[in-house]
Amino acid sequence: MKKLAVNIARLILAVAFILSGFVKAVDPLGTQYKIQDYLVAMGLGRLIPDFMTLSASVLLSTLEFILGICLLFAIRRRMVSKIVLVLMAAMTLLTLWLALTDPISDCGCFGDALVLTNWQTFWKNIVLLTAAVIVWRYPLLMPRLIGEANQWIVMNYSGVFILLVIAGRSLYTLPQFDFRPYHVGTNLRQGWQRMMEGEDSPYAEFFMELTDEGEDITEDVLNREGYTFLLVSPHLEQADDSQLDALNQIYEYSLDNGYPFYCLTASTEKGINHWRNITGAEYPFCNTDDITLKTIIRSNPGLLLLKNGVIIRKWSHNNLPDEQDLTGELETSELGQLPSDTVATKILWILTWFVLPLVLLTLADRLWAWSGWLRKRNNNNPLNKEKVIMRKKIVAGNWKMNMNLQDGIALAKELNETLKADKPNCGVVICTPFIHLASIAQFLDQDIIGLGAENCADKEKGAFTGEVSAEMVKSTGAQYVILGHSERREYYKETPEILKEKVLLAQKNGLKVIFCIGESLAEREAGKQNEVVKAELEGSVFNLSEEDFRKIVIAYEPIWAIGTGKTATAEQAEEIHAYIRSIIAEKYGNAVAEDTTILYGGSCKASNAPELFAKPDIDGGLIGGASLKCADFKGIIDAWKK
Ligand code: PEP
């Protein structure tokens, strides 16, 4: 149930973030205007320059889109769920303020594609915030759609797509999807007529008033049969003047062919005169509402072509029609017809170039993971025994004297759920204080996580107040026991003889022993590490028969690295692991040595585990401090997936 809830929440958030990011990126200027509206409502309107609000618009859309993709593919689950939660908390507060004070009418969450009232937006955000809390609480219950190795491709591909292909292209040309009431294909004549008849209409502020005579020509222009060019510039003072020649050419073309040409602007006379001076413009100017002009076209200046009152073309100043396009009459040229790229063709383009590659990549990734699983299963087939490296990879946690019963149970439960949702690529064991064992054994899925004690007595049973025997450990349901840890050797004076007894009793009771060896700092500095580990092995586990030795897991733990934050370098660790394997080979032969699991312990963390585990003789880790938090421990376990 929990997993289902997390994944429903993840899907809701992913869809909302992808949609919201996409529609904002499609219309970066529209999003910028909305950000400016917010700033004005907060009294900060004049303080923030335009380039900053435009950058904020592009960054916001990119962030939302990439977060949505990360949620969909379950990429960087912990980090992404935290960012989403913070973002949703901030957005919910912001929209509560909007709903209560109503400084702007529409929040702009989904651009012009879906306009919500402020209260609708607030309740929508409450739903999304709840989903974000669920996902943040159990991020690891979201199964990945793609392996970690390929996640960067998905993120970078999505980033390039949204930033360059969608936002960049929309900024350079015009929004690729136009959700405003002035999109190509709009019958302005009909819309305006309905407004005049008193119907609710988005064209209430659309008017064209000749600046020279003050005459309103809206009706004439919209009712005119044939073509009309409208150059649109909310503010001529800020208009891009790099394409003046192209504009003048279009104007001349319209004169030659008898098509009316007007410039619609909200500029003052001064602005219009300035434009006339720099461009030599001879076309008539009309006054229009500046918000309406910004809504009509996201380009300053931009060009519109009307045919019989219908908008049939829109051009940004960056891609105006050129000389070759302007030959012959519009009636017979391609330019004079509605464009062939419909919404459906644009959606198809996105499906082909964005969605399909990601689907193919996901399929290839899953196929590869599946074939890896098959290869592994084949390797475990007894018929292929000679090819198999038998030794098991293990990550074992040593909780030491930490956590009361309740905290320990909570941690074990969290780990249990986490690893059930995202199966490890190695054996996992948790070794806990005695008092936790029986309770944890009740719910732990021991096919995934083995349970062990941190010690057991060197006596079978009897009057040994305070001791816990191997048999008792086994009776809790535990399968493992750590023996010979340096802290027990040092603080409780456990000698090789005592350890020999403990190992025998543990094995007699069917416990698997994780046997620790390792040198002190002084011994390492004296170059005696090999000597020390050899003596520790010879004094205890090297007394076992080959059959019993095969059941032992060795943990090499340099004492100077335990709990100190100092880690042996991967090379140092590999060197001594190889040495340990070589002396096992001397004692029991190559086959046993090859099959013996040798773990490294000592300040092992998620950050250094991959490098350590990549070494040929390091078969995993015995983890102290970092096993006390599920996320940290999981990070180390995941090192086997890299
Ligand atoms: C340990 O005590 O077994 C150990 C490796 O501790 P830490 O990881 O905290 O260094």
Side-chain angles (χ1 to χ4, degrees):
M1 274 311 280
K2 209 194 281 173
K3 196 169 172 191
L4 184 70
V6 171
N7 284 291
I8 292 176
R10 159 205 186 176
L11 265 185
I12 294 175
L13 284 168
V15 170
F17 272 73
I18 291 173
L19 259 183
S20 161
F22 183 81
V23 293
K24 284 191 182 87
V26 154
D27 186 7
L29 285 176
T31 310
Q32 179 195 18
Y33 298 151
K34 199 40 90 182
I35 293 174
Q36 286 168 338
D37 288 350
Y38 275 97
L39 292 174
V40 169
M42 292 170 182
L44 301 170
R46 294 191 179 281
L47 294 180
I48 318 284
D50 284 358
F51 82 89
M52 281 180 80
T53 47
L54 184 57
S55 311
S57 147
V58 173
L59 287 180
L60 181 68
S61 54
T62 306
L63 177 71
E64 283 189 24
F65 189 80
I66 291 189
L67 285 175
I69 291 286
C70 285
L71 282 168
L72 188 66
F73 283 84
I75 295 173
R76 301 282 167 99
R77 293 169 291 187
R78 279 188 294 261
M79 189 180 75
V80 166
S81 61
K82 277 185 204 143
I83 300 175
V84 168
L85 182 65
V86 172
L87 211 64
M88 280 321 306
M91 290 296 182
T92 310
L93 284 179
L94 186 70
T95 48
L96 176 64
W97 169 70
L98 277 194
L100 292 174
T101 58
D102 229 12
I104 45 179
S105 57
D106 143 45
C107 71
C109 312
F110 295 108
D112 292 297
L114 178 62
V115 177
L116 300 175
T117 66
N118 288 338
W119 277 113
Q120 283 169 341
T121 303
F122 172 71
W123 291 117
K124 175 213 70 176
N125 279 353
I126 290 287
V127 173
L128 292 183
L129 181 61
T130 314
V133 171
I134 298 174
V135 165
W136 163 78
R137 183 70 188 81
Y138 304 105
L140 301 182
L141 290 188
M142 298 185 277
R144 291 195 178 106
L145 278 195
I146 195 154
E148 276 181 297
N150 289 325
Q151 291 179 349
W152 68 272
I153 304 182
V154 176
M155 283 178 71
N156 289 347
Y157 192 64
S158 306
V160 168
F161 171 75
I162 200 71
L163 198 63
L164 300 183
V165 181
I166 300 297
R169 191 162 150 222
S170 292
L171 262 183
Y172 187 75
T173 58
L174 290 176
Q176 292 154 58
F177 294 90
D178 194 343
F179 302 107
R180 285 157 290 130
Y182 297 91
H183 55 82
V184 169
T186 300
N187 192 328
L188 267 185
R189 181 189 294 173
Q190 273 175 11
W192 196 79
Q193 201 56 47
R194 278 203 293 272
M195 188 269 297
M196 293 305 276
E197 286 158 10
E199 275 184 44
D200 239 11
S201 150
Y203 307 106
E205 303 298 327
F206 181 78
F207 60 87
M208 295 172 57
E209 197 176 273
L210 283 172
T211 52
D212 293 340
E213 297 106 63
E215 186 194 344
D216 190 320
I217 56 164
T218 321
E219 195 163 0
D220 291 348
V221 171
L222 295 186
N223 285 329
R224 188 178 180 280
E225 292 304 308
Y227 296 93
T228 307
F229 283 99
L230 299 179
L231 178 64
V232 174
S233 169
H235 297 285
L236 286 164
E237 304 84 330
Q238 294 155 13
D240 184 288
D241 56 10
S242 60
Q243 301 297 328
L244 298 182
D245 289 346
L247 276 177
N248 288 338
Q249 222 167 44
I250 297 167
Y251 174 57
E252 273 164 30
Y253 168 80
S254 71
L255 282 185
D256 291 349
N257 291 278
Y259 307 130
F261 187 112
Y262 300 96
C263 174
L264 313 190
T265 181
S267 286
T268 56
E269 204 181 324
K270 195 170 148 218
I272 295 173
N273 286 337
H274 169 74
W275 182 257
R276 277 196 177 117
N277 286 341
I278 58 167
T279 63
E282 287 172 1
Y283 34 82
F285 287 80
C286 294
N287 271 330
T288 309
D289 172 66
D290 82 320
I291 296 188
T292 305
L293 292 177
K294 284 179 177 173
T295 312
I296 292 176
I297 193 159
R298 301 297 201 207
S299 171
N300 186 15
L303 188 68
L304 236 71
L305 180 60
L306 298 186
K307 181 183 181 187
N308 305 337
V310 176
I311 301 176
I312 62 160
R313 293 273 170 170
K314 275 175 149 188
W315 296 277
S316 134
H317 59 79
N318 287 318
N319 68 342
L320 292 167
D322 58 22
E323 242 172 298
Q324 276 133 32
D325 302 319
L326 300 171
T327 48
E329 294 191 339
L330 286 174
E331 282 80 357
T332 51
S333 73
E334 201 192 324
L335 211 63
Q337 322 307 321
L338 276 165
S340 54
D341 59 336
T342 58
V343 170
T345 53
K346 289 178 192 169
I347 292 178
L348 194 67
W349 189 92
I350 290 178
L351 289 177
T352 313
W353 292 104
F354 181 62
V355 179
L356 187 64
L358 288 186
V359 171
L360 291 178
L361 177 70
T362 309
L363 287 179
D365 179 273
R366 290 302 83 195
L367 208 65
W368 178 250
W370 178 69
S371 68
W373 176 81
L374 274 187
R375 281 197 302 276
K376 215 159 119 193
R377 207 182 60 161
N378 251 354
N379 280 347
N380 286 337
N381 183 336
L383 295 175
N384 297 335
K385 264 259 167 14
E386 64 283 4
K387 292 189 215 151
V388 180
I389 294 178
M390 286 293 288
R391 60 181 187 263
K392 206 172 164 190
K393 315 291 176 202
I394 296 177
V395 173
N398 173 13
W399 289 8
K400 307 194 183 185
M401 196 171 76
N402 289 298
M403 283 196 280
N404 62 27
L405 181 60
Q406 290 71 27
D407 291 346
I409 289 176
L411 173 60
K413 278 195 171 148
E414 191 185 355
L415 190 66
N416 199 38
E417 290 306 308
T418 306
L419 295 187
K420 263 161 69 178
D422 184 12
K423 300 267 177 342
N425 266 2
C426 61
V428 175
V429 179
I430 49 173
C431 296
T432 77
F434 294 126
I435 60 132
H436 295 81
L437 292 173
S439 312
I440 292 179
Q442 301 292 318
F443 61 80
L444 204 66
D445 183 343
Q446 294 212 32
D447 286 339
I448 302 176
I449 309 177
L451 181 62
E454 297 169 14
N455 182 28
C456 69
D458 59 337
K459 302 287 186 297
E460 203 151 3
K461 63 168 156 184
F464 300 102
T465 306
E467 285 295 277
V468 176
S469 71
E471 190 200 346
M472 292 170 183
V473 170
K474 182 70 183 178
S475 72
T476 62
Q479 307 158 352
Y480 288 83
V481 61
I482 297 176
L483 292 175
H485 193 281
S486 60
E487 285 152 15
R488 293 217 57 90
R489 289 181 197 257
E490 188 181 344
Y491 308 141
Y492 301 95
K493 309 294 172 231
E494 292 192 354
T495 59
E497 292 70 41
I498 294 176
L499 290 172
K500 203 165 98 183
E501 285 308 307
K502 290 191 177 194
V503 171
L504 287 176
L505 286 169
Q507 289 204 328
K508 186 172 158 201
N509 286 284
L511 290 172
K512 293 173 206 156
V513 175
I514 300 176
F515 192 78
C516 305
I517 53 176
E519 79 287 355
S520 67
L521 185 59
E523 288 162 342
R524 162 120 339 217
E525 280 171 353
K528 292 195 174 146
Q529 60 273 24
N530 289 3
E531 222 174 283
V532 172
V533 294
K534 189 170 185 199
E536 284 175 336
L537 289 170
E538 283 175 341
S540 47
V541 285
F542 272 6
N543 293 302
L544 296 172
S545 66
E546 179 189 319
E547 193 192 341
D548 286 341
F549 184 82
R550 276 185 173 277
K551 295 177 201 149
I552 300 278
V553 171
I554 303 288
Y556 165 69
E557 298 203 303
I559 301 170
W560 48 272
I562 295 181
T564 57
K566 283 188 202 153
T567 327
T569 62
E571 287 68 34
Q572 279 174 324
E574 169 58 18
E575 191 181 321
I576 194 151
H577 276 235
Y579 171 72
I580 294 167
R581 204 176 297 290
S582 75
I583 52 177
I584 297 173
E586 271 170 33
K587 172 82 187 160
Y588 294 105
N590 273 340
V592 177
E594 277 309 307
D595 292 351
T596 303
T597 297
I598 308 178
L599 308 181
Y600 168 80
S603 301
C604 183
K605 306 179 275 288
S607 54
N608 56 23
E611 199 191 346
L612 285 161
F613 296 178
K615 294 293 176 193
D617 286 297
I618 302 181
D619 306 314
L622 179 56
I623 318 298
S627 69
L628 297 175
K629 276 201 186 136
C630 178
D632 296 347
F633 194 46
K634 173 77 172 29
I636 298 174
I637 293 166
D638 283 350
W640 281 119
K641 293 190 174 171
K642 293 196 170 127

